[in-house]
Tab-separated table of all heavy atoms in Angstrom:
chain	number	residue	atom	x	y	z
A	1471	ALA	N	-74.330	98.460	-29.951
A	1471	ALA	CA	-75.068	97.355	-30.576
A	1471	ALA	C	-76.125	97.847	-31.561
A	1471	ALA	O	-76.456	97.153	-32.535
A	1471	ALA	CB	-75.726	96.505	-29.487
A	1484	LYS	N	-79.009	102.855	-51.843
A	1484	LYS	CA	-79.383	101.725	-52.704
A	1484	LYS	C	-79.858	100.531	-51.892
A	1484	LYS	O	-80.698	99.757	-52.349
A	1484	LYS	CB	-78.192	101.330	-53.584
A	1484	LYS	CG	-77.929	102.312	-54.723
A	1484	LYS	CD	-76.863	101.766	-55.655
A	1484	LYS	CE	-76.684	102.696	-56.863
A	1484	LYS	NZ	-75.658	102.186	-57.798
A	1549	SER	N	-82.163	111.527	-31.390
A	1549	SER	CA	-83.626	111.380	-31.276
A	1549	SER	C	-84.101	110.029	-31.793
A	1549	SER	O	-85.284	109.704	-31.660
A	1549	SER	CB	-84.323	112.511	-32.031
A	1549	SER	OG	-83.997	112.473	-33.414
A	1622	ASN	N	-41.430	77.920	-1.383
A	1622	ASN	CA	-40.639	78.019	-0.156
A	1622	ASN	C	-41.528	78.034	1.083
A	1622	ASN	O	-41.205	77.421	2.100
A	1622	ASN	CB	-39.797	79.291	-0.210
A	1622	ASN	CG	-38.944	79.487	1.033
A	1622	ASN	OD1	-39.362	80.150	1.970
A	1622	ASN	ND2	-37.756	78.899	1.036
A	1625	TYR	N	-42.970	74.503	1.643
A	1625	TYR	CA	-42.010	73.478	2.068
A	1625	TYR	C	-40.874	74.109	2.867
A	1625	TYR	O	-39.712	74.097	2.453
A	1625	TYR	CB	-41.448	72.738	0.847
A	1625	TYR	CG	-42.507	72.074	0.014
A	1625	TYR	CD1	-42.992	72.686	-1.147
A	1625	TYR	CD2	-43.038	70.836	0.385
A	1625	TYR	CE1	-43.980	72.092	-1.906
A	1625	TYR	CE2	-44.029	70.231	-0.378
A	1625	TYR	CZ	-44.501	70.863	-1.519
A	1625	TYR	OH	-45.474	70.268	-2.271
A	1674	ARG	N	-33.905	142.587	-19.888
A	1674	ARG	CA	-34.394	143.960	-19.731
A	1674	ARG	C	-35.250	144.348	-20.934
A	1674	ARG	O	-35.124	143.748	-22.011
A	1674	ARG	CB	-33.214	144.929	-19.607
A	1674	ARG	CG	-32.517	144.869	-18.272
A	1674	ARG	CD	-31.529	146.008	-18.122
A	1674	ARG	NE	-30.394	145.894	-19.040
A	1674	ARG	CZ	-30.125	146.767	-20.000
A	1674	ARG	NH1	-30.914	147.812	-20.201
A	1674	ARG	NH2	-29.072	146.594	-20.780
A	1760	SER	N	-25.769	146.256	-16.973
A	1760	SER	CA	-26.393	147.147	-15.995
A	1760	SER	C	-26.690	146.411	-14.699
A	1760	SER	O	-26.601	145.178	-14.618
A	1760	SER	CB	-27.684	147.721	-16.562
A	1760	SER	OG	-28.667	146.691	-16.658
A	1891	GLU	N	-62.482	105.121	-10.519
A	1891	GLU	CA	-62.388	106.577	-10.406
A	1891	GLU	C	-61.231	107.115	-11.247
A	1891	GLU	O	-61.362	108.133	-11.937
A	1891	GLU	CB	-62.206	107.004	-8.940
A	1891	GLU	CG	-63.409	106.777	-8.052
A	1891	GLU	CD	-63.546	105.317	-7.608
A	1891	GLU	OE1	-62.620	104.511	-7.882
A	1891	GLU	OE2	-64.586	104.991	-7.014
A	1896	LEU	N	-59.216	109.895	-16.114
A	1896	LEU	CA	-58.308	109.941	-17.261
A	1896	LEU	C	-59.071	110.173	-18.559
A	1896	LEU	O	-58.680	111.010	-19.384
A	1896	LEU	CB	-57.489	108.653	-17.352
A	1896	LEU	CG	-56.406	108.448	-16.297
A	1896	LEU	CD1	-55.784	107.062	-16.431
A	1896	LEU	CD2	-55.331	109.507	-16.418
Side-chain angles (χ1 to χ4, degrees):
K1484 286 188 175 180
S1549 61
N1622 180 267
Y1625 302 99
R1674 286 190 293 116
S1760 70
E1891 291 79 7
L1896 289 174

